[in-house]
């Protein structure tokens, strides 16, 4: 199963963070629109990512919910019919939640950087250090910590769970 080390943080200064992401990646980033449907499952998280262009990806992942860099094990399957697949999975499992976002994607070495504008939540940054088979969690943490420093991510900015968890917490607090 592929692995990466992930970090999720809230962004307080979008423009400064965007500028630093462009500098680190030597690119303007790629805009990707995403609609993620999370399904009920007994362990981990299962989501169908609809890229809003007729393509999608079913993603299953397991990752602890704690602050800072964390190991994520995941599996993916591409689909050219996300709408139909969503219908089948909804019938079989039921929907846990929905996350709609615009994502700017950057690549720095083996790290994917996502600057996200999440509908109903705000602005966030995700780091995904994609590990090779020979790399350890600690190797990924070192890479993530270095980028966090360059991007100005502070300990108070870090988040533990997924966007769907934040949306559910927000909904439950009303």
């Amino acid at each position: 199963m592929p692995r990466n080390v992930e970090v999720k943080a809230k962004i307080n200064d979008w423009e400064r963070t965007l500028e630093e992401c462009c500098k680190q990646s030597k690119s303007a980033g790629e805009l990707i629109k995403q609609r993620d449907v999370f399904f009920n499952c007994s362990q981990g998280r299962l989501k169908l990512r609809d890229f809003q262009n007729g393509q999608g990806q079913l993603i299953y992942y397991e990752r602890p919910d704690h602050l800072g860099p964390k190991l994520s094990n995941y599996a993916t399957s591409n689909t050219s019919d996300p709408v139909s697949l969503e219908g089948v999975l909804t019938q079989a499992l039921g929907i846990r939640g929905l996350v709609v976002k615009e994502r700017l994607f950057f690549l720095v070495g083996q790290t994917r950087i996502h600057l996200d504008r999440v509908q109903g939540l705000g602005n966030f940054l995700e780091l995904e250090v994609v590990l090779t088979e020979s790399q350890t969690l600690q190797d990924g943490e070192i890479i993530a910590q270095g980028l966090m420093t360059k991007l100005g991510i502070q300990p108070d900015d870090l988040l533990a769970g997924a966007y769907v968890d934040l949306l559910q917490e927000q909904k439950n607090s009303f």
Side-chain angles (χ1 to χ4, degrees), residues 27-43:
S27 77
E30 175 187 354
L31 179 64
I32 305 169
K33 294 184 180 192
Q34 297 177 342
R35 180 179 174 273
D36 292 346
V37 180
F38 284 78
F39 298 96
N40 297 313
C41 64
S42 60
Q43 66 182 35

Side-chain angles (χ1 to χ4, degrees), residues 8 33-39 45 47-52 61 86 95-103 116-122 124 126 162-168:
K8 189 181 306 275
K33 294 184 180 192
Q34 297 177 342
R35 180 179 174 273
D36 292 346
V37 180
F38 284 78
F39 298 96
R45 293 184 178 95
K47 67 182 171 185
L48 177 62
R49 174 162 289 159
D50 186 336
F51 293 106
Q52 309 289 283
Y61 64 99
E86 180 182 336
I95 292 176
R96 177 175 172 224
L98 176 68
V99 176
V100 178
K101 64 183 173 274
E102 285 191 351
R103 168 170 278 179
D116 294 334
R117 291 188 186 267
V118 182
Q119 199 173 84
L121 276 183
F124 301 87
E126 285 185 354
Y163 296 139
V164 70
D165 302 325
L166 295 173
L167 285 167
Q168 284 181 330

Side-chain angles (χ1 to χ4, degrees), residues 142-154:
I142 290 167
I143 294 168
Q145 291 289 353
L147 272 171
M148 288 168 57
T149 299
K150 291 175 183 172
L151 296 170
I153 303 302
Q154 302 298 314

Side-chain angles (χ1 to χ4, degrees), residues 4 16 45 64 72 85 144-145:
N4 63 32
R16 192 202 68 70
R45 293 184 178 95
S72 176
L85 184 55
Q145 291 289 353

Side-chain angles (χ1 to χ4, degrees), residues 8-65:
K8 189 181 306 275
K10 62 185 172 200
I11 295 298
N12 299 310
D13 186 342
W14 177 271
E15 292 304 318
R16 192 202 68 70
T17 306
L18 174 59
E19 184 179 313
E20 192 60 35
C21 286
C22 291
K23 178 181 168 186
Q24 293 300 317
S25 69
K26 298 175 179 60
S27 77
E30 175 187 354
L31 179 64
I32 305 169
K33 294 184 180 192
Q34 297 177 342
R35 180 179 174 273
D36 292 346
V37 180
F38 284 78
F39 298 96
N40 297 313
C41 64
S42 60
Q43 66 182 35
R45 293 184 178 95
L46 180 67
K47 67 182 171 185
L48 177 62
R49 174 162 289 159
D50 186 336
F51 293 106
Q52 309 289 283
N53 64 2
Q55 299 299 308
Q57 191 173 53
L58 187 62
I59 304 165
Y60 172 77
Y61 64 99
E62 294 177 349
R63 141 185 115 213
D65 289 334

